[in-house]
Amino acid sequence: MDIATGAMNTLLPKLGELVVGEYKLQKGVKGEIQELEKELRSMTAALRKVAEVPVDQLDELVRIWARDVRELSYDIEDAVDTIMLQGIRHEPTMPFSIKGFIDRTINLFQMAATNHQIHNVTKDIMDQVKMVNERRKRYKIDEVSNRPIVETIDPRLEGMYTRAAQLVGIDGPKNELAKRLLEQEGLSRKQSNIISIVGFGGLGKTTLANSLLQDLKEQFDCHFFVSISFSPDIKKIFKNILVQLDENKYGHIDESWEIKLLIDKIIEFLKNRSRCLCVIDDLWKELPWDTIKLALQDGNHGSKIIITTRNKAVAEYVGGGIYELKPLSTDNSRELFYKRIFESADDCPPDLSKVTGKILKKCGGVPLAIITTASLLANKPRCSVEWEKVNSSIRSGSENSHPMETMNTILRFSYNDLPFHLKTCLLSLSKYPEDQMIRKDVLVWSWIAEGFITPSGSSLQETGDGYFNELINRSLIQPVNRKDPFYVLGEMEVYACQLHDMVLELIIKLSAEEGFVTASLSDGDQAGASSLHQREIIRRLSLHNSSNTDASINERKLLSKVRSLYVFGHADLMMPSLSEFCVLRVLQLENCSGLDNNHLKDICKLYLLKFLRLQGLKVTELPESIGKLESLETLDIRGADDESVIMLPLSFGKLGKLVRLHAERVELPDGVSLENMKSLRELVGICPTLHAVTEIGKLGGLKALEIAIKEEPESSTGNWKELIGTCLQMCSSSLQVLVLRVPLRYLYFQNFMAHVPTGLRTYMCSGYFDEFPRWIDPSFSYLTVLSIRLLNVHVQPEHLDKLAELPSLRFLRIQLMFLKFEPGAMPKLGRLCLRFDARRTNEHFRTNNFDYGFENLPSLRHVVIVLNILALNWAEHTEAQDAIRKTINNHPNHPSLHFSY
């Protein structure tokens, strides 16, 4: 139902633009469109009420109504986009055909887009809208949010009563948490008495917190454990606390007690107790904490508070320490699995070992997933055939026994708590195959193209990044860090995500019910095909690793309404003819190694296409037809061979709406002007030529530039350096990100950059400097990311002073022999990557001169050390590691530490 709300939110602004934009509509036609907009806004208000109720508790008629509204909004948007596009060009409209309620307008869209024809289309649409509104009244949609929501038994209760003997893999986290809680004794900061356990639903946060309480409660004067949930009754929670603190006194609390009185009673009780151990379980939002903390704020410093939450942002809001609970290891997962089925692991028949591994891989180390699956198997015959069926059912969702329903209930808790825009974004991930690595940038760009991102005060990119981060904080997607922590475009600590198999199963099921994504799998089956509501209309089509799945889809002639096409596998074998897709906005092809320009010959017909990703494309030049994609905003052709260069077409300069081009290496042909590309903000992978440098200088709004140097023949040494210097001199002050990708074989990289835009926020270079960059000074007040390599450079104190004076620096990567951070230097620095000579590090350590001043970096959270271990024996290598580890461990933030070689 939230999907329908999102669809309306995309459509309504376009109707408003159609009225006020430069489309030369007559007054009467404008009035009709305004009336249509008014009706749709009324329907949107009703949809918002529907969205407040969990979808599985909605009446079937209400669900059908909301789904029909969504389909109606899609058809209207297709028509409006077509009218707007042709209105801008003042040309006859392109051939346009969509089935359903606007079948009668096919001929109109093949003629000139006159006011008369727009009037007819609007009238036909209004008739359909009125019919839907009539059903809204009959079904009493506006009353749906007033109906009582069915209460369900909290499936987390089992975690609170699990016997200690049944717990697996809990000792390590429990000991670490106990140490962190108890070692803070005597500290004066109140926040040091709080620690939050953060993790995915079903990961065992409740079990861990309760086990920790049982182990430590004897060391405190009193204790309590309360669960909050996402719809908390604060008065009931406070009563529960009082009963646990003193059952004799508060066992029968007067129902008339208000929240203020309850808070006062708790404060009064805790004042007379020096130490209390408090567990606040399942905290979903900030607001309940703002009230609960009022009762705990006056406790003595010996009290400790343990909080569990799925949302890292909530933990950060609460303050104090954060402990991110990790999934179980492979060995612990197997042990827990066997404990639920057999007396011991030795009782497992050998023929079940292999299928057990498959099942545990899908469970992903999540205890609840393991336990629910094992509970399901415990009631089935112990043979590989039956277990393979269950293994398959985890993916298909065909198993409906109670344990699996328990798992689904927990996952739905997380899903139902999402706002409508995040539900839509999460469901869009159902297009991906299992175990797919999902790039953050690609995902956000596709959200923008689909209209899933609600405009706010920030840019759509920044808002989309926020959506991505919120899904991570809610533990619904799993973050993936770069293996190479140094080379990033901006401070992208997390560059991708993955989906837990059971989350993927849930969103595939929900997506199939809503007709949101149609996924054709490698075996020819359709994901979610067992859904009650199989759809004849396909809006988003995802093809997975198959050479014959497109045939059946083509036969059904369902491609004319597809808004997004995703192909995971060999695109040259799987991709349907592009001429079939009349209203396509997103085309994402994830393996284009066998694709040639002949496959793309009909791409020029995709007039509404906004996002085009051709991953791994192996051609020497892009087709000229690319220039006809006048709606295109994102062109992503990364993944080509590192040594290859793709020539952009002469028509490239016609892409007036293009916001970003991302490639490994592309060359701009002579004769192409970028002057009219006013929307271009990101240019990544451009080869420096005199013509390209000249044209880049005309891009007044360019914010991100990555220059890719392929080679440097001896006869032209220094030419590309001069070109880059010229480019930077011409670049607009709007440039925020500058990345220079230089082959590492060039060891000496002269300090040629006399002109660097002072508004720069990110600077990264993969080549080596033979002197400290002269341009670094305090005037770069916005610089947050800096990555430089120095070779045989003697760093002077004044160089370190320049670094220390960069007020906004959060990420620093630098190769040095030795440095020391003084108090007050780089107060915002959170990530630090340093390269040391290991032998020199040991010398400093032995002479008690190992003082890098890490403790003077108050925001430090992550440290990566690259050690040069040539000519070192293992003992010296270990000694260097231990010396650095000891220094980092003394930092009050306990930063993460990783070594690279």
Side-chain angles (χ1 to χ4, degrees):
M1 304 313 102
D2 305 88
I3 301 170
T5 305
M8 279 293 189
N9 284 349
T10 303
L11 171 61
L12 288 171
K14 292 183 178 180
L15 288 173
E17 185 181 347
L18 190 59
V19 173
V20 301
E22 300 177 1
Y23 299 99
K24 299 182 179 179
L25 299 182
Q26 293 177 354
K27 186 176 181 180
V29 175
K30 285 185 177 181
E32 291 171 345
I33 294 176
Q34 288 172 332
E35 182 63 24
L36 172 61
E37 183 181 5
K38 182 179 177 181
E39 289 288 333
L40 292 177
R41 288 193 182 279
S42 175
M43 291 166 62
T44 302
L47 282 171
R48 290 187 182 278
K49 290 187 176 183
V50 172
E52 294 174 359
V53 181
V55 66
D56 54 346
Q57 296 185 25
L58 284 173
D59 182 87
E60 184 65 16
L61 288 175
V62 176
R63 295 172 67 180
I64 292 173
W65 178 84
R67 189 166 57 250
D68 288 346
V69 170
R70 184 190 69 231
E71 296 298 336
L72 176 64
S73 69
Y74 284 154
D75 284 339
I76 297 173
E77 186 178 15
D78 290 342
V80 169
D81 281 348
T82 304
I83 292 172
M84 293 173 69
L85 181 64
Q86 299 305 321
I88 291 173
R89 298 191 310 192
H90 303 293
E91 297 177 3
T93 56
M94 61 187 174
F96 185 85
S97 173
I98 55 176
K99 304 267 182 209
F101 76 93
I102 57 173
D103 275 346
R104 286 172 286 164
T105 66
I106 293 176
N107 292 331
L108 298 180
F109 281 98
Q110 294 174 338
M111 298 186 298
T114 64
N115 280 271
H116 175 68
Q117 286 133 12
I118 294 175
H119 158 75
N120 288 342
V121 172
T122 305
K123 182 179 181 301
D124 192 81
I125 291 173
M126 181 62 81
D127 290 342
Q128 299 299 317
V129 169
K130 288 180 178 178
M131 289 173 59
V132 172
N133 260 339
E134 283 299 319
R135 282 192 288 142
R136 166 187 163 192
K137 295 174 182 176
R138 291 202 308 271
Y139 300 161
K140 300 180 179 180
I141 301 296
D142 293 346
E143 300 176 11
V144 70
S145 63
N146 298 324
R147 299 169 190 167
I149 297 177
V150 178
E151 293 291 339
T152 58
I153 297 173
D154 190 342
R156 297 166 296 125
L157 287 173
E158 184 178 359
M160 298 174 61
Y161 296 100
T162 304
R163 295 194 301 273
Q166 294 178 303
L167 301 179
V168 172
I170 200 173
D171 288 340
K174 186 166 62 174
N175 292 338
E176 171 66 16
L177 283 166
K179 179 182 177 182
R180 287 173 64 172
L181 277 172
L182 299 179
E183 74 180 0
Q184 294 166 344
E185 295 291 329
L187 295 180
S188 59
R189 292 188 301 121
K190 288 187 179 181
Q191 285 193 340
S192 67
N193 294 323
I194 303 174
I195 192 161
S196 295
I197 305 172
V198 179
F200 174 81
L203 202 54
K205 303 181 297 295
T206 298
T207 303
L208 174 59
N210 187 55
S211 181
L212 190 62
L213 176 73
Q214 301 307 318
D215 283 3
L216 300 181
K217 63 184 181 182
E218 299 300 328
Q219 302 181 41
F220 292 82
D221 298 311
C222 57
H223 63 273
F224 64 80
F225 184 115
V226 289
S227 292
I228 308 303
S229 79
F230 67 87
S231 297
D233 181 341
I234 296 297
K235 183 183 287 190
K236 184 177 179 181
I237 289 169
F238 283 143
K239 289 178 181 179
N240 191 358
I241 291 174
L242 283 171
V243 170
Q244 292 184 56
L245 292 176
D246 191 338
E247 185 173 4
N248 291 331
K249 187 174 182 179
Y250 299 110
H252 302 281
I253 297 178
D254 191 327
E255 290 297 320
S256 64
W257 284 16
E258 296 297 330
I259 288 179
K260 184 181 183 304
L261 180 57
L262 293 169
I263 291 175
D264 290 342
K265 292 294 183 181
I266 295 172
I267 292 174
E268 180 184 354
F269 183 92
L270 294 180
K271 277 185 177 180
N272 299 322
R273 304 293 190 280
S274 59
R275 306 175 76 229
C276 183
L277 181 57
C278 319
V279 177
I280 311 296
D281 182 51
D282 205 29
L283 184 65
W284 285 72
K285 302 171 184 176
E286 295 91 347
L287 188 59
W289 170 249
D290 287 338
T291 305
I292 292 170
K293 71 179 181 182
L294 298 176
L296 307 177
Q297 61 183 350
D298 291 330
N300 292 328
H301 298 307
S303 295
K304 306 292 180 182
I305 301 173
I306 302 168
I307 287 172
T308 73
T309 181
R310 305 181 191 196
N311 193 336
K312 189 176 180 181
V314 171
E316 292 170 343
Y317 179 84
V318 168
I322 296 177
Y323 181 87
E324 295 191 46
L325 188 58
K326 304 299 182 185
L328 294 178
S329 67
T330 301
D331 290 342
N332 284 335
S333 295
R334 192 172 287 265
E335 180 184 354
L336 178 61
F337 184 84
Y338 286 152
K339 273 190 173 183
R340 283 299 177 108
I341 302 176
F342 309 104
E343 292 296 325
S344 70
D346 297 334
D347 294 335
C348 178
D351 64 317
L352 295 181
S353 179
K354 185 176 180 180
V355 67
T356 296
K358 294 179 185 178
I359 292 171
L360 291 179
K361 180 178 181 294
K362 291 185 175 181
C363 291
V366 179
L368 187 57
I370 296 169
I371 290 169
T372 53
T373 307
S375 299
L376 187 153
L377 286 168
N379 296 316
K380 293 187 177 293
R382 295 180 182 179
C383 66
S384 59
V385 174
E386 288 295 324
W387 284 34
E388 285 286 2
K389 288 181 180 178
V390 172
N391 176 49
S392 299
S393 78
I394 294 174
R395 181 63 175 83
S396 66
S398 62
E399 189 68 55
N400 291 317
S401 59
H402 173 69
M404 199 61 71
E405 285 300 313
T406 300
M407 184 65 197
N408 286 334
T409 299
I410 289 175
L411 292 177
R412 281 180 180 267
F413 275 171
S414 293
Y415 177 78
N416 289 335
D417 185 59
L418 294 174
F420 76 86
H421 58 274
L422 287 185
K423 286 181 180 176
T424 302
C425 290
L426 182 62
L427 286 191
S428 75
L429 271 66
S430 62
K431 67 194 177 193
Y432 285 99
E434 199 170 358
D435 299 325
Q436 179 80 13
M437 192 78 70
I438 304 168
R439 289 189 63 109
K440 173 184 177 181
D441 51 8
V442 172
L443 185 61
V444 171
W445 296 337
S446 69
W447 288 345
I448 293 173
E450 281 262 37
F452 294 162
I453 297 178
T454 303
S456 61
S458 304
S459 68
L460 292 179
Q461 177 75 48
E462 292 169 336
T463 304
D465 289 345
Y467 289 6
F468 183 90
N469 294 334
E470 189 168 355
L471 289 174
I472 288 178
N473 287 338
R474 291 172 178 264
S475 303
L476 287 168
I477 60 177
Q478 300 169 333
V480 177
N481 294 333
R482 284 187 182 275
K483 292 183 179 179
D484 178 2
F486 305 129
Y487 185 74
V488 290
L489 179 56
E491 192 182 5
M492 287 177 58
E493 194 172 339
V494 174
Y495 88 105
C497 71
Q498 284 185 305
L499 281 166
H500 187 280
D501 283 348
M502 292 196 170
V503 173
L504 180 59
E505 177 191 349
L506 172 67
I507 63 175
I508 285 176
K509 180 180 179 182
L510 294 172
S511 178
E513 290 175 355
E514 294 290 330
F516 189 68
V517 174
T518 301
S520 185
L521 308 181
S522 56
D523 54 7
D525 289 339
Q526 182 177 315
S530 60
S531 166
L532 180 63
H533 308 290
Q534 285 182 266
R535 305 296 296 167
E536 287 302 317
I537 299 174
I538 297 178
R539 298 292 183 179
R540 297 168 188 85
L541 176 61
S542 181
L543 305 178
H544 298 182
N545 299 310
S546 176
S547 60
N548 60 3
T549 54
D550 61 313
S552 62
I553 294 171
N554 274 321
E555 287 173 5
R556 293 161 64 192
K557 298 180 181 179
L558 298 174
L559 302 182
S560 64
K561 291 191 175 185
V562 172
R563 302 163 71 87
S564 302
L565 173 62
Y566 312 95
V567 180
F568 300 94
H570 291 282
D572 54 316
L573 301 176
M574 301 169 58
M575 191 172 66
S577 172
L578 293 177
S579 62
E580 302 292 330
F581 299 90
C582 302
V583 294
L584 200 68
R585 272 81 165 176
V586 173
L587 177 58
Q588 181 175 340
L589 310 180
E590 284 300 327
N591 184 348
C592 299
S593 57
L595 214 64
D596 58 34
N597 284 342
N598 186 55
H599 291 93
L600 302 174
K601 60 183 175 63
D602 290 325
I603 201 168
C604 59
K605 299 177 181 179
L606 306 180
Y607 299 101
L608 298 180
L609 193 69
K610 293 185 176 184
F611 172 84
L612 176 60
R613 173 167 165 82
L614 305 172
Q615 190 273 335
L617 189 64
K618 292 186 177 180
V619 297
T620 56
E621 59 184 27
L622 290 180
E624 282 296 317
S625 56
I626 291 285
K628 294 186 178 181
L629 302 178
E630 51 195 292
S631 300
L632 193 65
E633 297 175 353
T634 298
L635 177 57
D636 181 2
I637 52 174
R638 291 174 295 182
D641 186 88
D642 286 343
E643 297 301 318
S644 64
V645 177
I646 297 178
M647 182 67 73
L648 294 172
L650 291 171
S651 61
F652 179 73
K654 297 180 180 179
L655 299 176
K657 292 186 178 180
L658 194 70
V659 176
R660 58 190 67 83
L661 166 66
H662 284 246
E664 300 299 336
R665 287 182 176 84
V666 292
E667 189 169 324
L668 188 71
D670 292 343
V672 177
S673 173
L674 304 184
E675 190 170 4
N676 293 325
M677 301 186 73
K678 306 297 185 182
S679 300
L680 195 59
R681 297 293 180 266
E682 301 171 19
L683 189 54
V684 174
I686 189 77
C687 294
T689 63
L690 179 59
H691 175 65
V693 164
T694 302
E695 294 301 317
I696 290 172
K698 300 176 182 178
L699 299 173
L702 193 66
K703 291 186 177 182
L705 173 64
E706 180 184 297
I707 298 177
I709 295 92
K710 182 175 183 289
E711 58 184 358
E712 182 183 17
E714 292 296 327
S715 59
S716 62
T717 300
N719 286 350
W720 61 263
K721 299 174 184 175
E722 295 175 7
L723 287 174
I724 294 176
T726 302
C727 180
L728 295 179
Q729 188 172 2
M730 296 176 63
C731 266
S732 166
S733 58
S734 66
L735 193 66
Q736 297 178 359
V737 176
L738 175 62
V739 177
L740 303 181
R741 184 148 43 94
V742 185
L744 290 177
R745 59 181 177 271
Y746 306 137
L747 298 180
Y748 293 93
F749 189 65
Q750 289 182 344
N751 195 351
F752 59 89
M753 298 192 307
H755 302 277
V756 179
T758 56
L760 211 61
R761 298 174 187 268
T762 294
Y763 173 78
M764 307 192 78
C765 179
S766 59
Y768 287 92
F769 287 99
D770 55 7
E771 63 177 298
F772 190 86
R774 292 189 295 270
W775 58 269
I776 296 178
D777 62 50
S779 65
F780 288 85
S781 57
Y782 299 105
L783 192 66
T784 61
V785 177
L786 176 63
S787 176
I788 55 176
R789 297 184 180 197
L790 306 178
L791 188 66
N792 298 328
V793 176
H794 183 65
V795 180
Q796 302 293 332
E798 58 267 26
H799 297 151
L800 298 180
D801 290 342
K802 286 185 175 181
L803 290 174
E805 291 171 352
L806 296 172
S808 301
L809 199 63
R810 293 187 296 162
F811 173 96
L812 173 64
R813 177 201 177 196
I814 190 168
Q815 177 178 325
L816 293 170
M817 292 299 183
F818 186 77
L819 80 167
K820 181 177 181 179
F821 297 99
E822 298 294 340
M826 302 180 226
K828 297 182 180 180
L829 190 70
R831 298 178 61 216
L832 177 64
C833 300
L834 298 176
R835 184 181 180 93
F836 290 133
D837 180 279
R839 194 181 296 278
R840 184 70 61 87
T841 298
N842 286 341
E843 291 174 2
H844 284 295
F845 180 66
R846 295 190 188 103
T847 59
N848 294 320
N849 194 29
F850 192 84
D851 183 10
Y852 288 85
F854 292 135
E855 69 278 2
N856 295 322
L857 301 174
S859 301
L860 191 63
R861 298 291 179 183
H862 307 282
V863 178
V864 176
I865 302 295
V866 183
L867 286 175
N868 177 13
I869 59 173
L870 295 178
L872 279 184
N873 59 41
W874 184 252
E876 291 176 315
H877 162 248
T878 303
E879 185 180 11
Q881 273 198 1
D882 290 344
I884 295 171
R885 185 176 288 109
K886 181 179 179 181
T887 302
I888 296 299
N889 286 344
N890 288 334
H891 194 285
N893 292 343
H894 303 289
S896 65
L897 175 62
H898 300 280
F899 289 98
S900 183
Y901 312 101

